[in-house]
Amino acid sequence: MPFTIRENIPLRDLTTFRIGGPARFFCEVYTEGDLIEAVSFAQKKCAGRFFVLGGGSNVLVSDAGFGGLVICMKIKGIIFSDENSWKNGITTVGAGEEWDSFVKKTIEDGYGGLENLSLIPGTVGAAPVQNIGAYGTEVAAAIFSVRAYDTETGTWKLFKKDECEFKYRDSFFKKTKNSSGQARYIITEVSFTLSKGAKPNISYKDIHDYFEKKGTTEPSLVQVREAVISIRKVKLPDIAVVGTAGSFFKNPIIKVEDFEALKKRYPDLPGFSEKTNPGFIKVPLAWIIDTICGYRGISQGNVGTYKNQALVLVNNGNATFLDVTIFASEITAKVKEMTGIDIEPEVQFLV
Ligand code: NAP
């Protein structure tokens, strides 16, 4: 497909929130050559302003749209390390492949490691940026390397896993900007190490309870995928029906002493410590928004919190960027008032 730049393209239906105005310039990139052309265009015509759009599942676009170039990532392909088998257990995937189709394929082929990450919307290229995670598994655990274009120097770099600086829903790619203030690295390929015969991780409460109810002690990868899909369908809205970007805020990670002080006021407050982050506790924000603030399943005009998961904001039909940001600010202020915790959006704002 020839590389083309188009103008004034509506972004609303390219995002799962289904909110926002047009992109001043827009292109789809199918090859690494297209990507180089796209970045060069943004540098010449838009003062370097670009935004890489994958599945549009974690973005809120402003009502006025975006004045730069939106680069829609379409680089496809799943390349096995050996033509006939996954000999070394490493497979390289184009950033524009749909995440869940890839996960489904690994499971069908008998490879474990990604089954708990079933049904997460978005693309393969976005997975390392956010270090997507669910049900006790983070994508970082399965990543071998990441190939990315450096928009600062116009060169290519292969990041080994250790260089990706993966943390809870965070990575080197998420925080590293170029001199125009845009994401410095654009991911084009991700390589994974997956293994046959690895035992699925079913320790997370929801999955454990699911199999306990069924009396299954050693579920297959297919069964774990089915469990995750079933649990997610109950708790999270169907993005084909409801406009949403999933979890709108990040779960706060607070000091142990602040957590203990809060526990005195709210004895049932859950909290999880992480070996890699001693002295800090991750607190489920959905619990705070629901139980302490009373905001689960409420609507304010066009925007609301989802009935089964208070961390998820939903577009009730015609929500605008302004509706969402006003509602989100109200929740942020309420959480601060009730707990003293400063919360931050997980969703990226495109303004
Ligand atoms: P949940 O099971 O109700 O748990 C709420 C929060 O408590 C989550 O943040 C979870 O941390 C934490 N938690 C629960 N059990 C834990 C344990 N044994 N150890 C450490 N932390 C624990 O969560 P939910 O809303 O139904 O979501 C289910 C899973 O899907 C979660 O893992 C959630 O993070 C994930 N999810 C991910 C995304 C994303 O990547 N953007 C979006 C939506 C949901 P964790 O977040 O570390 O699990």
Side-chain angles (χ1 to χ4, degrees):
M1 197 165 300
F3 174 71
T4 324
I5 303 269
R6 292 186 284 153
E7 295 188 46
N8 302 318
I9 299 299
L11 293 174
R12 186 183 178 279
D13 291 332
L14 296 175
T15 74
T16 59
F17 229 149
R18 294 196 275 282
I19 291 174
R24 174 70 188 89
F25 296 103
F26 179 91
C27 65
E28 293 178 330
V29 296
Y30 290 87
T31 64
E32 291 188 343
D34 290 349
L35 180 63
I36 294 171
E37 280 197 57
V39 171
S40 162
F41 178 91
Q43 284 162 347
K44 286 185 196 131
K45 305 277 182 180
C46 317
R49 289 188 76 205
F50 65 81
F51 180 82
V52 180
L53 189 70
S57 56
N58 197 36
V59 58
L60 175 62
V61 180
S62 96
D63 298 323
F66 178 61
L69 171 68
V70 168
I71 301 171
C72 193
M73 178 53 68
K74 296 280 185 187
I75 297 175
K76 303 275 187 196
I78 303 181
I79 306 157
F80 301 99
S81 53
D82 179 297
E83 286 257 277
N84 305 312
S85 71
W86 295 21
K87 203 173 166 191
N88 302 322
I90 296 172
T91 184
T92 299
V93 188
E97 287 285 348
E98 198 212 350
W99 174 257
D100 192 49
S101 306
F102 168 58
V103 171
K104 184 164 178 269
K105 178 158 179 45
T106 64
I107 292 167
E108 280 167 359
D109 287 9
Y111 284 84
L114 301 178
E115 57 282 357
N116 290 19
L117 307 182
S118 292
L119 212 64
I120 295 184
T123 52
V124 167
V129 177
Q130 169 81 350
N131 184 18
I132 58 169
Y135 307 106
T137 299
E138 287 184 345
V139 73
I143 286 180
F144 180 73
S145 64
V146 172
R147 177 172 161 84
Y149 183 61
D150 181 348
T151 62
E152 190 71 43
T153 60
T155 56
W156 292 91
K157 185 163 162 61
L158 189 70
F159 290 85
K160 297 210 179 84
K161 180 189 180 148
D162 290 353
E163 296 173 293
C164 299
E165 295 177 20
F166 290 121
K167 298 203 182 73
Y168 183 66
R169 304 292 183 271
D170 197 17
S171 71
F172 177 78
F173 310 105
K174 193 166 173 180
K175 55 184 183 237
T176 309
K177 305 287 178 208
N178 64 20
S179 49
S180 307
Q182 314 296 294
R184 175 163 174 173
Y185 293 96
I186 301 179
I187 294 171
T188 55
E189 264 178 17
V190 186
S191 295
F192 298 87
T193 40
L194 302 163
S195 58
K196 271 193 173 166
K199 261 186 123 183
N201 168 13
I202 57 163
S203 59
Y204 201 92
K205 187 173 183 307
D206 283 356
I207 300 193
H208 176 266
D209 291 355
Y210 175 97
F211 285 117
E212 197 172 61
K213 231 182 252 168
K214 286 193 178 291
T216 311
T217 48
E218 293 206 352
S220 65
L221 297 175
V222 172
Q223 285 172 312
V224 174
R225 176 172 166 82
E226 281 166 5
V228 170
I229 289 174
S230 152
I231 296 163
R232 284 187 72 102
K233 281 189 171 165
V234 172
K235 209 143 181 205
L236 299 166
D238 178 355
I239 55 166
V241 180
V242 180
T244 181
S247 300
F248 190 87
F249 300 101
K250 292 181 196 163
N251 285 310
I253 297 175
I254 63 175
K255 287 187 184 148
V256 170
E257 51 268 34
D258 294 340
F259 178 73
E260 278 161 5
L262 269 178
K263 267 291 233 197
K264 291 199 177 110
R265 283 161 63 197
Y266 309 110
D268 294 335
L269 177 69
F272 301 95
S273 54
E274 291 162 296
K275 275 189 216 123
T276 51
N277 201 6
F280 288 86
I281 301 279
K282 182 181 66 187
V283 184
L285 183 56
W287 194 91
I288 293 178
I289 297 175
D290 176 4
T291 315
I292 300 182
C293 304
Y295 267 66
R296 176 162 61 88
I298 66 151
S299 275
Q300 228 172 59
N302 290 319
V303 61
T305 49
Y306 190 58
K307 61 182 183 346
N308 294 341
Q309 186 11 316
L311 203 51
V312 172
L313 298 196
V314 291
N315 173 0
N316 290 332
N318 294 306
T320 62
F321 177 89
L322 198 60
D323 292 332
V324 176
T325 48
I326 289 172
F327 187 58
S329 302
E330 187 180 312
I331 294 175
T332 306
K334 190 76 184 166
V335 170
K336 178 77 178 168
E337 178 198 330
M338 302 299 283
T339 65
I341 298 175
D342 292 304
I343 59 168
E344 292 171 46
E346 177 181 295
V347 167
Q348 274 185 282
F349 291 5
L350 183 57
V351 293

